């Protein structure tokens, strides 16, 4: 298409063109209720107004405590959006805690157990 972007099936409308795609890295930051072991570094894919972040980091969490992870590569567009957060390590059964991408631009969750050195795998897709 002349104005940039990719269109499909002969559609030439600028509003329907895929004009924004990127891949990159992001650096999670421990905002509250969480400490990291090592230096986490995640990846992201952005297509149009949707971004998906991924990371796997080792951290310490406290039972029943809220935690916040900052450093998202893009601020969310508006309201709170769900996030998939999976805890897993060799001494803990895998489980899925509550999680969301908050309007303040951080991932927020709650740990159902006190754990040290647990692997927190993150996948969060949200609007920007």
């Amino acid at each position: 298409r002349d104005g940039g972007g990719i269109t499909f099936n002969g559609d030439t409308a600028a509003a329907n063109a895929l004009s924004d795609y990127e891949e990159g890295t992001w650096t999670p930051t421990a905002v509250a209720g969480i400490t990291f072991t090592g230096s986490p570094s995640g990846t992201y894919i952005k297509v149009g107004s949707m971004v998906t972040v991924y990371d796997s980091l080792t951290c310490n969490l406290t039972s029943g405590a809220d935690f916040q992870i900052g450093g998202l590569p893009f601020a969310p567009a508006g309201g709170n959006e769900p996030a998939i957060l999976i805890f897993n390590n060799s001494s803990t059964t895998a489980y899925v805690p509550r999680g969301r991408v908050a309007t303040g631009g951080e991932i927020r969750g709650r740990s159902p157990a006190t754990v040290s050195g647990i692997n927190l795998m993150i996948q969060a897709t949200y609007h920007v």
Side-chain angles (χ1 to χ4, degrees), residues 4-6 17-23 44-50 74 128:
I6 300 170
L18 174 59
S19 60
D20 184 11
Y21 176 91
E22 69 178 88
E23 296 182 20
Y44 71 86
I45 298 173
K46 182 177 181 290
V47 180
S49 64
M50 296 293 292
F74 301 94
V128 297

Side-chain angles (χ1 to χ4, degrees), residues 58-99:
T58 304
C59 60
N60 302 316
L61 299 165
T62 303
S63 178
D66 291 332
F67 63 87
Q68 297 177 32
I69 300 170
L72 291 173
F74 301 94
N80 296 320
E81 301 198 32
I84 298 171
L85 310 170
I86 300 174
F87 294 140
N88 192 4
N89 72 3
S90 60
S91 63
T92 306
T93 303
Y95 51 92
V96 179
R98 298 184 315 218

Side-chain angles (χ1 to χ4, degrees), residues 81-125:
E81 301 198 32
I84 298 171
L85 310 170
I86 300 174
F87 294 140
N88 192 4
N89 72 3
S90 60
S91 63
T92 306
T93 303
Y95 51 92
V96 179
R98 298 184 315 218
R100 62 189 167 97
V101 175
T103 55
E106 69 280 340
I107 294 173
R108 292 186 179 200
R110 177 175 280 264
S111 177
T114 297
V115 288
S116 294
I118 195 165
N119 188 19
L120 175 60
M121 293 170 276
I122 299 170
Q123 177 180 332
T125 300

